[in-house]
Amino acid sequence: RAPLTNRDHQVFTKETVQVTPSNKAEVSIHYRKYRNFPYTATASFRNSEDSRTWMAVEKQQWYINPTWTSVLGPSTTLEARGSFGVFELLATNPNNDGSAAYRDLATSIVSGGDFHAAGDNRRNRHQAKVDLSHFIGDGGAGNHTFKGGFMYQVTPMWGERFSQAQADHAEVA
């Protein structure tokens, strides 16, 4: 009943530099911007013929991944990695004229206007990981690699929810 418009733009780049014979640095960057209208998972032409209820979803993502690798001797390697992810999720109702929404309780079909809690909902993830590997060769008991590491992660989440309808029409029946 309505055209689906999806736009998906992605860019990826990676750079590796051998800083010294025993040290290597690497960074990769991935960017994605995606827009889907009408968004079919929550409100779209699938549950309402009224285009004022249709939601558009736009996602913008950045992933930056630096890595440092050092050879500390003939048997020992140190690797430090990071991952910084920024994820923005914006939901809007581009066709909403500010009218109130109504839901038919028998069919759950929504009409009249917006009834979603749209807004900006950022979900970020940042990680750091350090590994130390040491190889012990034959000594009568075979070859072994011992590894130890540490990982830290923080996932801040920021959300803003607001009604798209005008204040005097914000009722949902």
Side-chain angles (χ1 to χ4, degrees):
R1 296 185 223 151
L4 283 172
T5 56
N6 295 324
R7 289 192 310 254
D8 195 352
H9 303 283
Q10 296 188 47
V11 176
F12 176 80
T13 185
K14 181 178 174 183
E15 185 71 33
T16 303
V17 177
Q18 191 72 40
V19 180
T20 67
S22 59
N23 292 292
K24 179 175 75 172
E26 181 177 285
V27 66
S28 66
I29 300 171
H30 179 237
Y31 172 75
R32 180 181 188 205
K33 187 169 186 175
Y34 176 81
R35 186 173 193 277
N36 186 7
F37 178 77
Y39 182 60
T40 58
T42 55
S44 72
F45 57 88
R46 290 184 187 214
N47 61 9
S48 178
E49 292 183 12
D50 190 339
S51 65
R52 293 175 294 178
T53 68
W54 298 350
M55 181 176 279
V57 170
E58 188 168 300
K59 300 172 185 176
Q60 182 169 258
Q61 300 164 298
W62 284 93
Y63 297 103
I64 301 169
N65 299 297
T67 303
W68 181 272
T69 305
S70 291
V71 177
L72 302 178
S75 303
T76 307
T77 305
L78 175 70
E79 183 176 66
R81 293 182 165 272
S83 177
F84 307 97
V86 176
F87 176 65
E88 288 182 83
L89 175 64
L90 179 62
T92 61
N93 290 81
N95 295 339
N96 186 25
D97 60 5
S99 60
Y102 300 94
R103 181 189 297 269
D104 183 322
L105 295 179
T107 64
S108 285
I109 293 176
V110 178
S111 62
D114 177 37
F115 75 105
H116 294 91
D120 191 346
N121 181 19
R122 295 180 204 171
R123 300 171 186 159
N124 302 335
R125 176 174 290 158
H126 310 301
Q127 298 174 324
K129 183 177 183 224
V130 178
D131 289 319
L132 183 66
S133 300
H134 185 72
F135 175 77
I136 297 177
D138 201 21
N143 298 329
H144 300 280
T145 300
F146 295 94
K147 284 187 157 191
F150 172 78
M151 185 178 125
Y152 175 76
Q153 174 178 311
V154 61
T155 309
M157 191 165 166
W158 182 84
E160 176 183 80
R161 298 287 188 262
F162 57 91
S163 175
Q164 298 287 339
Q166 294 175 354
D168 58 339
H169 296 289
E171 297 177 23
V172 177

